[in-house]
Amino acid sequence: MAIPSYEEMMLPLLTFARDRKEHSLGEALNHIKEEFDLNIEDSSVKLKSGRQTVVENRAGWARTYLKKAGLLESPQRGLFIITERGLQVLRDNPSEITDKYLMQFTEFQDF
């Protein structure tokens, strides 16, 4: 299976956070790997820098974009939690979350 893009990861990441608990990106990565049925080979592909896997990098960008749109927030370094806006987005039941979708939020436009 191909490694999903950061946009493809945004909705599963937000859905993972719907329990309103604080989560680390590592916890979210495990969920994303399961959600997309990524095998060990795909999960181990590193960026050219060799410092991070492609999956970690893309999940990190997905989290960043969701935070910039106000759907997630960081109560402390390394952790994130869903916001009321994020819960409302899930209630609206979008089929996907993309950069274009996030443009409806002023904070994301400013980003």
Side-chain angles (χ1 to χ4, degrees), residues 28-55:
L29 273 170
N30 290 333
H31 173 76
I32 287 169
K33 288 175 186 178
E34 289 176 19
E35 178 83 14
F36 290 99
D37 198 27
L38 296 177
N39 60 36
I40 293 172
E41 185 178 321
D42 289 335
S43 298
S44 302
V45 175
K46 297 250 185 195
L47 295 171
K48 290 182 182 180
S49 68
R51 294 178 181 240
Q52 190 180 44
T53 66
V54 173
V55 174

Short mmCIF file of all heavy atoms in Angstrom, two decimals, residues 28-55:
data_model
loop_
_atom_site.label_atom_id
_atom_site.label_comp_id
_atom_site.label_asym_id
_atom_site.label_seq_id
_atom_site.Cartn_x
_atom_site.Cartn_y
_atom_site.Cartn_z
N ALA A 28 -1.07 8.46 17.96
CA ALA A 28 -1.80 8.70 16.73
C ALA A 28 -1.19 7.94 15.56
O ALA A 28 -1.92 7.43 14.70
CB ALA A 28 -1.84 10.20 16.42
N LEU A 29 0.13 7.84 15.53
CA LEU A 29 0.80 7.09 14.47
C LEU A 29 0.37 5.63 14.46
O LEU A 29 0.13 5.06 13.38
CB LEU A 29 2.31 7.17 14.63
CG LEU A 29 2.99 8.36 13.99
CD1 LEU A 29 4.44 8.45 14.44
CD2 LEU A 29 2.89 8.29 12.48
N ASN A 30 0.27 5.03 15.63
CA ASN A 30 -0.19 3.65 15.70
C ASN A 30 -1.58 3.51 15.10
O ASN A 30 -1.86 2.58 14.35
CB ASN A 30 -0.17 3.15 17.14
CG ASN A 30 1.23 2.98 17.68
OD1 ASN A 30 2.18 2.75 16.93
ND2 ASN A 30 1.37 3.10 18.98
N HIS A 31 -2.45 4.45 15.42
CA HIS A 31 -3.82 4.44 14.86
C HIS A 31 -3.79 4.60 13.34
O HIS A 31 -4.48 3.87 12.63
CB HIS A 31 -4.64 5.56 15.50
CG HIS A 31 -5.98 5.73 14.88
ND1 HIS A 31 -7.03 4.87 15.12
CD2 HIS A 31 -6.45 6.66 14.01
CE1 HIS A 31 -8.08 5.26 14.42
NE2 HIS A 31 -7.76 6.34 13.75
N ILE A 32 -3.00 5.53 12.86
CA ILE A 32 -2.92 5.78 11.41
C ILE A 32 -2.37 4.56 10.68
O ILE A 32 -2.90 4.17 9.63
CB ILE A 32 -2.08 7.04 11.13
CG1 ILE A 32 -2.89 8.28 11.52
CG2 ILE A 32 -1.62 7.11 9.68
CD1 ILE A 32 -2.11 9.56 11.54
N LYS A 33 -1.36 3.93 11.24
CA LYS A 33 -0.79 2.73 10.60
C LYS A 33 -1.84 1.63 10.51
O LYS A 33 -1.93 0.94 9.49
CB LYS A 33 0.42 2.24 11.39
CG LYS A 33 1.63 3.13 11.24
CD LYS A 33 2.77 2.68 12.14
CE LYS A 33 3.93 3.65 12.11
NZ LYS A 33 5.02 3.23 13.02
N GLU A 34 -2.64 1.48 11.56
CA GLU A 34 -3.72 0.49 11.53
C GLU A 34 -4.82 0.89 10.55
O GLU A 34 -5.30 0.08 9.77
CB GLU A 34 -4.32 0.31 12.92
CG GLU A 34 -3.41 -0.39 13.89
CD GLU A 34 -4.00 -0.47 15.29
OE1 GLU A 34 -5.24 -0.30 15.45
OE2 GLU A 34 -3.23 -0.69 16.24
N GLU A 35 -5.21 2.15 10.60
CA GLU A 35 -6.28 2.67 9.74
C GLU A 35 -5.97 2.43 8.26
O GLU A 35 -6.85 2.08 7.48
CB GLU A 35 -6.47 4.16 10.01
CG GLU A 35 -7.50 4.84 9.17
CD GLU A 35 -8.92 4.68 9.69
OE1 GLU A 35 -9.10 4.28 10.84
OE2 GLU A 35 -9.83 4.97 8.90
N PHE A 36 -4.73 2.66 7.88
CA PHE A 36 -4.34 2.52 6.48
C PHE A 36 -3.68 1.17 6.19
O PHE A 36 -3.19 0.96 5.09
CB PHE A 36 -3.41 3.67 6.08
CG PHE A 36 -4.12 4.99 6.00
CD1 PHE A 36 -4.05 5.89 7.05
CD2 PHE A 36 -4.88 5.33 4.89
CE1 PHE A 36 -4.72 7.11 6.99
CE2 PHE A 36 -5.55 6.53 4.81
CZ PHE A 36 -5.48 7.43 5.87
N ASP A 37 -3.68 0.30 7.18
CA ASP A 37 -3.11 -1.05 7.02
C ASP A 37 -1.69 -1.00 6.46
O ASP A 37 -1.35 -1.72 5.52
CB ASP A 37 -4.03 -1.90 6.12
CG ASP A 37 -3.75 -3.38 6.27
OD1 ASP A 37 -3.29 -3.80 7.35
OD2 ASP A 37 -3.99 -4.12 5.29
N LEU A 38 -0.87 -0.13 7.04
CA LEU A 38 0.51 0.01 6.59
C LEU A 38 1.35 -1.11 7.15
O LEU A 38 1.31 -1.41 8.34
CB LEU A 38 1.09 1.36 7.02
CG LEU A 38 0.44 2.60 6.42
CD1 LEU A 38 1.07 3.85 7.01
CD2 LEU A 38 0.56 2.60 4.91
N ASN A 39 2.14 -1.73 6.28
CA ASN A 39 3.01 -2.79 6.75
C ASN A 39 4.31 -2.20 7.30
O ASN A 39 4.56 -0.99 7.20
CB ASN A 39 3.27 -3.81 5.63
CG ASN A 39 3.93 -3.19 4.41
OD1 ASN A 39 4.76 -2.29 4.53
ND2 ASN A 39 3.55 -3.66 3.23
N ILE A 40 5.14 -3.05 7.86
CA ILE A 40 6.39 -2.59 8.47
C ILE A 40 7.29 -1.91 7.45
O ILE A 40 7.92 -0.90 7.74
CB ILE A 40 7.12 -3.77 9.15
CG1 ILE A 40 6.30 -4.24 10.34
CG2 ILE A 40 8.52 -3.38 9.58
CD1 ILE A 40 6.80 -5.51 10.99
N GLU A 41 7.31 -2.45 6.25
CA GLU A 41 8.14 -1.87 5.19
C GLU A 41 7.72 -0.43 4.88
O GLU A 41 8.55 0.48 4.86
CB GLU A 41 8.07 -2.73 3.93
CG GLU A 41 8.98 -2.27 2.82
CD GLU A 41 8.90 -3.19 1.61
OE1 GLU A 41 8.81 -4.42 1.79
OE2 GLU A 41 8.93 -2.65 0.48
N ASP A 42 6.42 -0.22 4.67
CA ASP A 42 5.92 1.13 4.38
C ASP A 42 6.13 2.06 5.57
O ASP A 42 6.46 3.22 5.40
CB ASP A 42 4.43 1.10 4.02
CG ASP A 42 4.16 0.47 2.67
OD1 ASP A 42 5.06 0.49 1.81
OD2 ASP A 42 3.04 -0.03 2.46
N SER A 43 5.92 1.54 6.77
CA SER A 43 6.06 2.35 7.98
C SER A 43 7.49 2.74 8.28
O SER A 43 7.74 3.65 9.08
CB SER A 43 5.50 1.59 9.18
OG SER A 43 4.14 1.32 9.01
N SER A 44 8.44 2.05 7.66
CA SER A 44 9.86 2.27 7.94
C SER A 44 10.57 3.17 6.93
O SER A 44 11.74 3.50 7.11
CB SER A 44 10.59 0.93 8.01
OG SER A 44 10.01 0.11 8.99
N VAL A 45 9.88 3.54 5.86
CA VAL A 45 10.50 4.38 4.82
C VAL A 45 10.88 5.72 5.43
O VAL A 45 10.06 6.40 6.04
CB VAL A 45 9.54 4.58 3.62
CG1 VAL A 45 10.14 5.55 2.62
CG2 VAL A 45 9.21 3.25 2.97
N LYS A 46 12.15 6.06 5.29
CA LYS A 46 12.67 7.30 5.88
C LYS A 46 12.72 8.43 4.85
O LYS A 46 12.81 8.19 3.65
CB LYS A 46 14.10 7.08 6.40
CG LYS A 46 14.18 6.06 7.50
CD LYS A 46 14.50 6.73 8.78
CE LYS A 46 14.71 5.68 9.87
NZ LYS A 46 14.69 6.25 11.17
N LEU A 47 12.65 9.64 5.35
CA LEU A 47 12.89 10.80 4.52
C LEU A 47 14.34 10.79 4.07
O LEU A 47 15.17 10.09 4.66
CB LEU A 47 12.63 12.09 5.31
CG LEU A 47 11.20 12.34 5.77
CD1 LEU A 47 11.17 13.54 6.72
CD2 LEU A 47 10.30 12.59 4.59
N LYS A 48 14.67 11.58 3.08
CA LYS A 48 16.06 11.63 2.61
C LYS A 48 17.03 12.02 3.71
O LYS A 48 18.17 11.58 3.72
CB LYS A 48 16.19 12.60 1.43
CG LYS A 48 15.53 12.08 0.18
CD LYS A 48 15.71 13.03 -0.99
CE LYS A 48 14.97 12.47 -2.19
NZ LYS A 48 15.09 13.34 -3.36
N SER A 49 16.57 12.82 4.66
CA SER A 49 17.42 13.23 5.78
C SER A 49 17.77 12.05 6.68
O SER A 49 18.75 12.09 7.41
CB SER A 49 16.74 14.30 6.61
OG SER A 49 15.61 13.76 7.28
N GLY A 50 16.93 11.01 6.67
CA GLY A 50 17.14 9.84 7.50
C GLY A 50 16.76 10.03 8.95
O GLY A 50 16.90 9.13 9.77
N ARG A 51 16.25 11.18 9.30
CA ARG A 51 15.92 11.48 10.69
C ARG A 51 14.52 11.05 11.11
O ARG A 51 14.24 10.94 12.29
CB ARG A 51 16.06 12.98 10.96
CG ARG A 51 17.47 13.46 10.84
CD ARG A 51 17.53 14.95 11.06
NE ARG A 51 18.89 15.41 10.93
CZ ARG A 51 19.57 16.01 11.90
NH1 ARG A 51 19.00 16.25 13.04
NH2 ARG A 51 20.81 16.39 11.69
N GLN A 52 13.65 10.89 10.15
CA GLN A 52 12.24 10.65 10.45
C GLN A 52 11.65 9.79 9.34
O GLN A 52 12.08 9.85 8.20
CB GLN A 52 11.54 12.02 10.50
CG GLN A 52 10.15 12.03 11.01
CD GLN A 52 9.58 13.45 11.02
OE1 GLN A 52 9.74 14.21 10.08
NE2 GLN A 52 8.89 13.80 12.10
N THR A 53 10.62 9.00 9.70
CA THR A 53 9.95 8.24 8.65
C THR A 53 8.97 9.15 7.91
O THR A 53 8.54 10.18 8.44
CB THR A 53 9.17 7.03 9.21
OG1 THR A 53 8.09 7.49 10.01
CG2 THR A 53 10.08 6.09 10.00
N VAL A 54 8.63 8.75 6.71
CA VAL A 54 7.67 9.51 5.91
C VAL A 54 6.32 9.56 6.63
O VAL A 54 5.68 10.61 6.67
CB VAL A 54 7.53 8.89 4.50
CG1 VAL A 54 6.41 9.55 3.71
CG2 VAL A 54 8.84 8.97 3.74
N VAL A 55 5.92 8.45 7.24
CA VAL A 55 4.64 8.40 7.95
C VAL A 55 4.65 9.38 9.12
O VAL A 55 3.68 10.13 9.32
CB VAL A 55 4.32 6.97 8.44
CG1 VAL A 55 3.07 6.94 9.30
CG2 VAL A 55 4.18 6.02 7.28
#
